[in-house]
Amino acid sequence: MTLRDLLTPRPEGLYCPAGDFHIDPVRPVARALITHAHSDHARPGHAAVLATRETLDMMAIRLGDDFAASRQPIALGETLDLGGARVRFHPAGHVLGSAQIAVEAGGRRAVVSGDYKRTPDPTCAPFEPVACDLFVTEATFGLPVFRHPDPADETRKLLASLAQFPDRAHLVGVYALGKAQRLIRLLRDAGHDAPIHVHGALRRLCDYYASRGIDLGEIADATAADRGGVGGAVVLAPPSAFGDVWIRRFADPLVGFASGWMQIRARARQHGAELPLVLSDHCDWDGLTATLTELSPAETWVTHGREEALVRWCALNGLAARPLHLVGYEDEAED
Amino acid sequence: MRRFAALLERLAFTPARNGKLRLLADYLRDTPDPDRGWALAALTGGLDVASVKPALLRDVTTARVDAELFALSHDFVGDLAETIALIWPTRGSADAPRLATVVDTLHAASRREAPQVVERLLDRLDPPARFALLKLVTGGLRVGVSARLAKQALADLGGRDVADIEEVWHGLAPPYAALFAWLTAAGPRPAPASDAPFRPVMLSHPLGAEDLARLDPADFAAEWKWDGIRVQAAAGNGRRRLYSRTGDDITAAFPDLVEALAFDGAIDGELLVRAGHGGVASFSDLQQRLNRKSVTPAQMRRFPAFLRAYDLLALDGRDLRPLPFTERRAALEALAPGLDPARIDLSPLLPFATRDDLARLRDTPPEPVIEGLMLKRRDSPYLAGRPKGPWWKWKRDPRLVDAVLMYAQRGHGKRSGFYSDFTFGVWAADDTLVPVGKAYFGFTDAELAEIDRWVRHNTTDRFGPVRAVRADPDHGLVFEVAFEGLARSTRHRSGLAMRFPRISRLRRDKPPREADRIETLEAMLPPGTED
């Protein structure tokens, strides 16, 4: 069996003929295996969905309880036979419940990483390297200029600014699923125990993380905060809220963003960030290249992101790789 | 170097002046000598290190990084120094050098050695510090900090008035240990430069209608308010210097004028350029001489600088500042005939008796480079800063045009959530709108809310924090824009640049097709710049 027979790129997404399923399809399909609950990977309208319990729960929170006709949870490390294929979910270290999906058929194994990172993250299980013939990697930050700094240093930057500007609410734009909760946890680990205010769009996901045993400390609703009332509190919101009249409830806010894109000054400026925090849930360049070196798969497929640079690196390092050019994934996602 | 790099990053992203002041004052307080002094020098343009050409930096980088990966990265990032800082293959070392060590290393390097020295430093620094280093050696930190702002931060740090800092500034040299000792109460006040020192200048308040009504014409002298650059010419002990009004030494850019400072003392006046006909050239001609470290003979011939004297602050070792204006003026008039009249002349006192006389003078100035009147109390001493009462400026009414809103950008801080920075245009020959300026004040809070609402309902495109809005002949928002003057500019598509533009009125009544055309603006250009 060739690797192309094991996994086939189709307009809907990656398809496994032996098991008759798609992984993270961008259009409705009969059976979808979902790596994680971010909206570009987890879409509504599939007949059957297989994913980790956390991913299923958060899809229901974000998409509504009727996001799929039927759903089946699978635990990390659990093996399941689907038609002629054997699948197994392994932690990806991206967000709570995120998984890489290993697919075996005809004696070959492919691993679809979904989104992943190698930096330790207190809100999810760490990435597990899985030996494979074919590795499908993301390349969101696939350029050698992306070298994410220590998250603890970025957290200290936020706290230092709070100390310097104690009267200004520190509004940080974050991805609602994952980044928000990780930043809260990082702040707690850095000793910040004041209430953290969140935009309504983040509330249910924060509550869900807490229900899964991730202690986020005291979370308050930013909705209830009146003009000037929160003073120098940390307020987390989806970046779209900053263009909205929502932000006017704060008297003199200091606007930050927590995202891997903040590494690039022009990007930070475009977002109007006064306090750019480089905090990413994806691999940086060193993480991507270290993973490919470690796994040394017979073949690597590179998808969503800066595919060209990573394929070039593979060529320089004697690894077979090609860009996948899948459409529908948010190369410019808020992370 | 880490702290300095962190400071630069925060400054670059902090738009508000008060925010920048806080960041600077905190850094200068918490950072030890001599690092803070070198940082201050770097921010105020007083740090002189061997420069390295960008092409050389690119070469040392591609010797270490695959050229294709470098090119892809540079394409994505845009800025060369930033690309190198991020892509440099080392992670930085635990014993990264401090700023003072970096500066010493750069000072010790010859021009030829500089690229290798920079390369070795890059190996030891982390990415933000590498970026700071690369900006230092390629010239230009560009973090929006003027020397004036840095001096204000020093004043805040030491609980002093900024005039106190300006007064001692020219006796000091980097890394400014004596200055910091004084500001932190650990040492005496440093002595100002002993020859040709700067004396903090006296500034005026705008004259309001009520102020005018209360003013007794008999108490005041009147002069033209010349549209140049306020300067102070100081000479003594064989030194001759020209200072900006904030105490920056701009001597090197004006050798033609400095040569004529044949006196011992300090003259307060306006820096202007002589026009061909012997009158005063426009501000845009003066701009050809500004913001230069040096000047060519051709520039000096084409744009000869001269000083129009307002006041005399010191003469032959005597401080005249405590004397009343009339006595200082008499001393100035006695000094002037001995000086080269092509380079230094007197700003004439204007005869008047009544407020109506003043109003007439203001409305009919004899030259276009006059921007209004200055009124000075005859009995007032020369006081540093901006005391209210002794000096008034009464500017001519601003120029007005009706322009159409084209783009709106979101504000920061207290204006978060409002589209508050407006780019507006006028009609060009082909009946399209061409942007002519940008303004972010002049309107009330209620008007801001109204404009913001209009922007949100009429958005046609978005670019990050900027929205393009509908601007058709029959649908759009017209502003009456007030501004002080107009100059040719290659930096704007319209070829024009406005000075001090602000929104003076919302013209809800006016359809965009009736807004002004570019010809109207071109007709407002000062003589000699119409093309």
Side-chain angles (χ1 to χ4, degrees):
Chain A
M1 177 178 273
T2 70
L3 294 171
R4 269 243 176 207
D5 295 329
L6 180 58
L7 279 181
T8 309
R10 287 193 176 180
E12 296 83 5
L14 278 176
Y15 177 67
C16 172
D20 189 24
F21 59 80
H22 288 82
I23 296 175
D24 291 353
V26 296
R27 298 180 197 168
V29 299
R31 181 188 278 279
L33 275 56
I34 305 288
T35 58
H36 66 285
H38 278 151
S39 54
D40 52 333
H41 294 258
R43 295 172 191 256
H46 308 306
V49 170
L50 176 71
T52 63
R53 177 180 162 190
E54 291 85 355
T55 297
L56 291 173
D57 287 346
M58 290 191 286
M59 285 177 78
I61 289 172
R62 309 191 88 192
L63 303 171
D65 280 329
D66 56 350
F67 69 87
S70 82
R71 68 202 71 169
Q72 181 183 353
I74 183 169
L76 292 172
E78 186 184 337
T79 304
L80 193 68
D81 288 321
L82 291 174
R86 170 164 292 190
V87 300
R88 194 176 166 108
F89 281 46
H90 301 270
H94 178 55
V95 297
L96 181 62
S98 68
Q100 315 169 68
I101 300 175
V103 180
E104 283 178 49
R108 325 258 344 233
R109 182 190 292 151
V111 170
V112 179
S113 69
D115 293 335
Y116 67 105
K117 70 171 174 289
R118 306 300 301 266
T119 318
D121 178 344
T123 65
C124 65
F127 177 92
E128 180 187 308
V130 180
C132 55
D133 303 296
L134 167 63
F135 187 61
V136 182
T137 183
E138 60 141 326
T140 308
F141 293 108
L143 275 176
V145 286
F146 289 110
R147 326 243 317 265
H148 302 327
D150 183 346
D153 285 344
E154 297 301 291
T155 310
R156 273 192 287 275
K157 229 185 246 179
L158 174 56
L159 292 175
S161 181
L162 265 179
Q164 261 183 314
F165 299 96
D167 304 328
R168 300 180 70 187
H170 281 54
L171 269 57
V172 185
V174 288
Y175 206 53
L177 195 181
K179 189 67 59 64
Q181 298 76 21
R182 182 175 172 215
L183 179 55
I184 294 171
R185 195 54 252 164
L186 284 165
L187 284 163
R188 299 308 186 204
D189 290 343
H192 182 73
D193 48 19
I196 292 173
H197 299 252
V198 298
H199 184 278
L202 274 53
R203 182 80 215 197
R204 290 186 67 198
L205 288 164
C206 288
D207 290 346
Y208 181 74
Y209 264 64
S211 78
R212 301 299 296 170
I214 294 153
D215 181 12
L216 300 181
E218 190 183 339
I219 302 297
D221 289 327
T223 337
D226 57 336
R227 197 164 164 81
V230 296
V234 174
V235 182
L236 303 186
S240 57
F242 299 161
D244 195 37
V245 294
W246 176 86
I247 198 176
R248 293 185 197 164
R249 70 195 64 209
F250 305 101
D252 182 15
L254 195 154
V255 171
F257 284 86
S259 154
W261 298 113
M262 292 299 112
Q263 184 112 74
I264 307 300
R265 282 160 183 262
R267 291 297 177 102
R269 280 213 181 79
Q270 271 166 22
H271 282 81
E274 196 168 333
L275 186 65
L277 303 171
V278 187
L279 186 65
S280 172
D281 284 330
H282 294 268
C283 270
D284 63 2
W285 177 259
D286 294 345
L288 291 168
T289 55
T291 303
L292 294 179
T293 305
E294 182 179 359
L295 298 178
S296 289
E299 195 165 318
T300 300
W301 294 354
V302 185
T303 176
H304 56 291
R306 268 118 292 275
E307 295 144 348
E308 198 181 350
L310 199 56
V311 169
R312 166 75 182 167
W313 179 87
C314 288
L316 291 172
N317 288 274
L319 292 172
R322 66 184 186 87
L324 208 45
H325 299 307
L326 287 178
V327 292
Y329 298 96
E330 285 165 36
D331 151 60
E332 303 286 310
E334 281 165 0
D335 191 79
Chain B
M1 194 74 178
R2 268 198 111 161
R3 292 172 86 140
F4 177 61
L7 172 70
L8 290 184
E9 186 174 309
R10 289 289 327 250
L11 287 171
F13 286 103
T14 299
R17 182 172 184 275
N18 282 342
K20 286 186 200 279
L21 281 175
R22 173 88 56 92
L23 294 167
L24 280 168
D26 286 355
Y27 172 86
L28 295 173
R29 189 189 57 241
D30 299 338
T31 308
D33 290 318
D35 297 300
R36 59 182 170 184
W38 291 119
L40 180 61
L43 289 165
T44 54
L47 184 62
D48 196 15
V49 294
S51 67
V52 181
K53 291 229 176 333
L56 282 172
L57 292 170
R58 184 197 303 260
D59 291 347
V60 298
T61 310
T62 48
R64 300 204 184 195
V65 181
D66 175 54
E68 191 177 324
L69 288 175
F70 180 82
L72 287 168
S73 297
H74 188 200
D75 263 5
F76 186 86
V77 175
D79 183 87
L80 180 70
E82 188 179 350
T83 308
I84 295 173
L86 292 171
I87 207 171
W88 196 261
T90 58
R91 272 272 175 183
S93 62
D95 65 330
R98 56 195 283 187
L99 175 59
T101 311
V102 170
V103 170
D104 290 345
T105 310
L106 292 172
H107 275 154
S110 71
R111 243 187 127 67
R112 196 173 48 78
E113 295 165 333
Q116 282 67 48
V117 166
V118 168
E119 192 175 352
R120 284 196 295 276
L121 284 170
L122 287 172
D123 280 338
R124 297 172 61 200
L125 297 169
D126 66 2
R130 291 198 286 250
F131 182 73
L133 169 70
L134 292 168
K135 288 293 174 187
L136 281 179
V137 298
T138 51
L141 296 175
R142 296 176 58 124
V143 291
V145 172
S146 62
R148 169 80 179 174
L149 193 78
K151 286 174 197 166
Q152 183 63 54
L154 290 165
D156 293 351
L157 171 68
R160 307 204 167 255
D161 194 275
V162 69
D164 294 339
I165 309 293
E166 287 168 353
E167 190 145 14
V168 298
W169 184 255
H170 286 283
L172 305 170
Y176 307 109
L179 173 68
F180 287 108
W182 172 52
L183 293 176
T184 54
R189 176 173 181 268
S194 56
D195 38 51
F198 173 73
R199 289 150 177 99
V201 302
M202 178 163 176
L203 301 166
S204 61
H205 277 264
L207 183 75
E210 284 177 27
D211 306 315
L212 177 63
R214 272 201 297 265
L215 172 153
D216 182 351
D219 291 340
F220 284 83
E223 287 173 68
W224 297 123
K225 185 175 186 332
W226 298 94
D227 187 12
I229 294 289
R230 181 89 177 274
V231 292
Q232 189 177 117
N237 288 344
R239 289 301 296 263
R240 293 172 181 183
R241 297 186 208 250
L242 197 62
Y243 295 106
S244 75
R245 71 169 203 179
T246 55
D248 295 331
D249 190 330
I250 54 172
T251 309
F254 298 95
D256 46 351
L257 170 56
V258 171
E259 193 187 18
L261 305 183
F263 57 87
D264 178 346
I267 295 177
D268 177 350
E270 197 84 7
L271 178 68
L272 296 164
V273 159
R274 192 78 70 186
H277 55 82
V280 183
S282 72
F283 188 82
S284 59
D285 281 349
L286 174 59
Q287 272 182 322
Q288 306 301 316
R289 294 287 307 267
L290 300 180
N291 301 320
R292 292 178 182 280
K293 287 223 162 105
S294 61
V295 63
T296 65
Q299 284 161 341
M300 287 193 284
R301 268 196 309 277
R302 196 154 165 229
F303 305 108
F306 74 100
L307 179 68
R308 186 143 282 175
Y310 292 138
D311 213 321
L312 187 60
L313 312 188
L315 187 66
D316 299 330
R318 186 173 168 224
D319 187 354
L320 306 187
R321 289 176 291 179
L323 301 179
F325 173 77
T326 44
E327 288 182 39
R328 299 197 310 275
R329 175 77 194 189
L332 179 65
E333 287 176 6
L335 173 68
L339 303 172
D340 177 359
R343 295 295 178 188
I344 301 173
D345 63 15
L346 283 172
S347 174
L349 291 184
L350 305 174
F352 72 98
T354 65
R355 291 192 200 99
D356 288 345
D357 292 344
L358 288 173
R360 257 191 305 280
L361 285 164
R362 168 180 175 264
D363 291 341
T364 54
E367 296 201 57
V369 286
I370 290 169
E371 52 173 357
L373 290 180
M374 286 298 303
L375 304 176
K376 298 178 178 174
R377 269 197 81 92
R378 295 173 184 278
D379 60 2
S380 168
Y382 191 94
L383 302 166
R386 203 187 290 273
K388 191 155 186 180
W391 284 14
W392 299 104
K393 59 182 166 192
W394 194 18
K395 285 176 125 179
R396 246 177 13 187
D397 288 332
R399 323 298 291 264
L400 299 173
V401 290
D402 289 330
V404 185
L405 176 63
M406 298 176 72
Y407 305 99
Q409 182 171 352
R410 285 209 298 271
H412 290 276
K414 294 187 169 72
R415 284 177 165 183
S416 296
F418 289 95
Y419 285 87
S420 60
D421 294 19
F422 307 112
T423 300
F424 43 83
V426 296
W427 298 106
D430 60 356
D431 288 326
T432 60
L433 285 168
V434 54
V436 291
K438 197 171 172 182
Y440 46 92
F441 66 101
F443 35 79
T444 63
D445 286 353
E447 284 170 330
L448 174 60
E450 179 186 341
I451 303 169
D452 175 84
R453 208 160 37 243
W454 191 90
V455 167
R456 290 171 192 275
H457 288 142
N458 290 277
T459 299
T460 57
D461 210 348
R462 295 167 191 237
F463 320 91
V466 176
R467 292 188 185 205
V469 297
R470 273 190 75 182
D472 312 326
D474 294 307
H475 186 101
L477 191 60
V478 178
F479 292 145
E480 181 181 87
V481 177
F483 57 99
E484 296 303 309
L486 211 55
R488 283 265 169 228
S489 165
T490 50
R491 286 175 55 199
H492 303 273
R493 188 147 64 86
S494 62
L496 300 171
M498 286 179 174
R499 287 178 66 200
F500 204 52
R502 65 267 188 195
I503 310 295
S504 71
R505 254 193 319 158
L506 296 190
R507 296 298 307 264
R508 305 174 188 87
D509 54 313
K510 204 162 213 186
R513 67 167 67 254
E514 289 174 27
D516 279 306
R517 304 189 63 85
I518 192 82
E519 301 91 84
T520 313
L521 272 87
E522 278 166 351
M524 291 180 180
L525 281 165
T529 58
E530 300 91 336
D531 250 356

